[in-house]
Amino acid sequence: MPPYQPTASRRRSLETISVWALLVTLIVGVFFFIPSSAIPLSTTKTFLLAAGALITLALYILARLARGNIILPPFMLVGALWLPAIAYALSASFSGVAFGTTFWGTALEPDTFGFMLVAAVLGTLAAFILRRSEHYRSFLRTSAFVFGVAALLEVLVVIIGQFAPNTISPAFSLVGSFNDLAFLMGLGVVGVLITFRFLQLPRRAYQLLAASGIAALFLLAIANSSLVWTLLALVSLGLFVEAVMQRGPKSADGDLDEAAMLGDATPEADEGSHSLVLPLLVLAVSLFFLIGGTLGGALANALHVNVLNVRPSWQSTFSVAHQSYATTPIFGSGPGTFGVEWLKYRDASLNSTVFWNIDFSSGIGFIPTSLVTTGLAGALAWVAFLLLFIVCGLRMLILRAPEDAFVRYVAILSFVSALYLFATAVFDLPNAVILVLAFVFAGLFVSTTRFAARSQQWGVIFSRSPRLGFVIVFSLTILLLASVVAAYTLVGRAIATAELASAGAAFSAGNLDQADQAAQNSVAFAPTAAAYQIEAGVATGRLSQIVASSTMPTSAAQQAFQTALSTGINAALTATRLMPSDYQNWLALGNLYAQAVPLGVKGAYDSAKSAYDSAQKLNPTNPQIPYVLAQLDIANKDNKSAEADLKAAIALKQDYTAAIFLLSQLEVQDGNVKDALTSALAAAYFTPNDPNILFQVGILYAAQNDLANAVSALSAAVTANPQFANARYFLAAVYAKQKNFPDAITQVQAISDMSADNAKAVAAQLAELQAGKNPFPANLLSVTPASASPAPTTPAAAPAPAQ
């Protein structure tokens, strides 16, 4: 056998492998998940997509080097694919935020330069690698397989979730969120409609695609996304109109000729009748769910698929953009920093909603979010890309459509699919998989432009153009080496992100040692502010344990306290240095200094207050920060400043119960019982079933000798928590003062029944009550809850109000 044949086979093999590497990357991105709550699903998929992009790029370069040539489609739309990534690169370089933060974010989130680079690379590889009809067929068969399997699996998840919700939630989605599943199913339905309209399929393939489409519509009915229904309605309407325009006799007056009127003409075959029926059916279903929006919600509730999709409104997003452009108009605030801008400029009226303490990291949609973070550069890039794509795409499909029917079908499918996916990016927040698919379908359409009429692809054979070939080979070699380095960095970041997720899960579970070790492992691979923030939180937890310990020797406790405090402060300072715009880092630092304030450590109060003030500048409408400042002032024995901070917190959020309650306690300590009662009643209005607040209200009523209301409030506290021994004790005192000894005996007996210690502690009072005497001190109900002698409590009893 001649020696060149295996070489040619090997070259073709590398090209085929690169095609399948791209397809496998997309398949893994859709289906791969780790059944662990410690590692976020979206993070795993993003890193796998990035790894797949690097592997596919390396294989493509090797295939080109082996074949000795490079073949490219018309280059204008290829360059357009890179416009958003270029805008992100400019913003990352000139926005003033650390480049590492803008490139990686916390876990390579969509609104980062790193992710946009991955999306642009995959889109470009799709345009370069998929260049023959057999490549298109492989891509579309794989896409149909992925769509069908995903729809089947998700339907099974919903069904199994009805009978075994503890095993798997009916709202679980392989793609990411249930909203992302809706985007993918909508894309599949779009593909099915276009395929049935422009492609003749074998009967079996037709049946399988139809079944997949029905399953997808069922899932869309559960998700009930108005955006997806609207896009499906538009696509269906367009296909229906196009099908009507293409049907019927070719001559303009065919229905009017004599033969037709006499009935002598042979009727035309009903060719492609499903082309009309299916778009019309999907259009009707879409309009049905758009008009009767509550029907989808009822179906989701019946199947226990309750998913809440909370985002800022268009008004809030543009308000943040307006404020951000006033300070950083050209390059924006920096990739991945929408959350920072949101906290600076959000409307304080949101504090009156249930979402008052949610720190949104994105706006109403992905592209609107990008307009804030990348500034005018990003806005121009997105507008230019979308305009070029739409104008060039329509011009190609209308005026220069490919002659080959299959290629023309691929062009239409990829163009409409890309528009559909980019529309979801404008109006919603799709995850990394959906955004990557948008760029890949755009790249696939770019690839088909090489077959447009009067168009041609561009190529270079290295041996025939030595100078240009040398430059290209050298560039490809450098790019290949760069991909190896990028792969090494990516693996390190992926490990660091996984360890960070484990640290967060362990910290939430209260396992400080495990959280500390995982955070240190994360820092070893990639130092991030989030990892140091967890280390600071671990130190704060250890300080609390040391202060609460009654068994640790004094000298050992002092040494452990100093060590934990020093370690935590160093970690928090590092976090503020790496990410100074994150108010959580400053809160972590302030919390550590605040631990030393009650101990009288010199400078601790000033350092804590300075850190909290920095946090407040970054998040000025958050009522929790002035509340924390009030607690710091109380620890510093400055009640006047604490009252001012609490009033500031209440001004930001009028139903902030914790601040209202604490303010009432300070007013009691100042002897202002009337104002204290007013504050406590306000707190009780917003949280009517909080036993601690009801207890406070009852004591304050008793202090004003309003015994009837005192009984009502204390009885409500006991009803809310029957194990609340303090509430029962003071309720018994009120009953005794009213000479209602039977009810007083009932309350004291209930305390006695809680434990043997309680029985011993209240034995004397119980005996006197049974003798018809009031055993409680005369001044018991005239003092503040902080100075009153509480009844014995059990471990099950609710804690008394803060002292």
Side-chain angles (χ1 to χ4, degrees), residues 522-545:
S522 177
V523 169
F525 283 97
T528 60
Y532 283 111
Q533 188 183 120
I534 290 179
E535 287 191 351
V538 168
T540 302
R542 285 175 173 165
L543 289 173
S544 299
Q545 290 179 348

Side-chain angles (χ1 to χ4, degrees), residues 388-662:
L388 280 172
F389 185 77
I390 293 172
V391 172
C392 293
L394 291 176
R395 182 170 177 269
M396 181 266 217
L397 293 176
I398 296 173
L399 302 177
R400 302 169 53 210
E403 296 180 1
D404 184 270
F406 176 72
V407 175
R408 186 166 59 251
Y409 151 73
V410 175
I412 295 172
L413 175 63
S414 57
F415 180 73
V416 175
S417 297
L419 286 184
Y420 164 87
L421 292 171
F422 280 117
T424 65
V426 172
F427 296 102
D428 213 309
L429 294 168
N431 70 355
V433 175
I434 304 301
L435 291 173
V436 161
L437 286 176
F439 278 87
V440 168
F441 274 101
L444 178 61
F445 176 75
V446 172
S447 175
T448 64
T449 59
R450 71 182 83 220
F451 298 105
R454 301 183 304 279
S455 181
Q456 61 181 2
Q457 57 188 357
W458 178 85
V460 174
I461 300 176
F462 303 152
S463 60
R464 295 182 183 177
S465 304
R467 294 181 180 178
L468 182 58
F470 172 79
V471 173
I472 295 175
V473 169
F474 180 78
S475 301
L476 290 177
T477 303
I478 295 298
L479 189 58
L480 180 63
L481 295 176
S483 67
V484 174
V485 175
Y488 174 81
T489 306
L490 181 69
V491 170
R493 277 281 174 171
I495 295 174
T497 302
E499 291 287 350
L500 179 61
S502 299
F507 183 69
S508 298
N511 192 336
L512 300 183
D513 292 336
Q514 183 179 342
D516 189 28
Q517 184 59 53
Q520 290 180 21
N521 292 341
S522 177
V523 169
F525 283 97
T528 60
Y532 283 111
Q533 188 183 120
I534 290 179
E535 287 191 351
V538 168
T540 302
R542 285 175 173 165
L543 289 173
S544 299
Q545 290 179 348
I546 294 169
V547 172
S549 175
S550 59
T551 59
M552 186 179 296
T554 304
S555 59
Q558 289 177 347
Q559 183 176 359
F561 188 93
Q562 291 174 357
T563 301
L565 182 61
S566 176
T567 302
I569 289 175
N570 287 335
L573 287 172
T574 304
T576 60
R577 186 174 66 252
L578 291 175
M579 191 66 177
S581 59
D582 186 351
Y583 82 101
Q584 295 281 5
N585 294 331
W586 294 103
L587 284 181
L589 179 60
N591 291 340
L592 284 162
Y593 283 122
Q595 293 280 340
V597 172
L599 304 179
V601 176
K602 185 178 180 180
Y605 172 79
D606 292 335
S607 298
K609 192 173 188 311
S610 175
Y612 288 146
D613 287 341
S614 297
Q616 193 168 30
K617 290 177 183 177
L618 295 170
N619 194 356
T621 59
N622 188 339
Q624 292 173 310
I625 298 177
Y627 178 76
V628 171
L629 279 167
Q631 291 178 314
L632 177 67
D633 290 328
I634 292 172
N636 197 45
K637 297 179 172 46
D638 186 357
N639 286 1
K640 292 298 182 184
S641 296
E643 289 181 9
D645 289 328
L646 290 171
K647 290 177 181 178
I650 296 168
L652 289 171
K653 179 175 173 59
Q654 295 182 356
D655 59 347
Y656 194 8
T657 305
I660 295 171
F661 183 60
L662 184 56

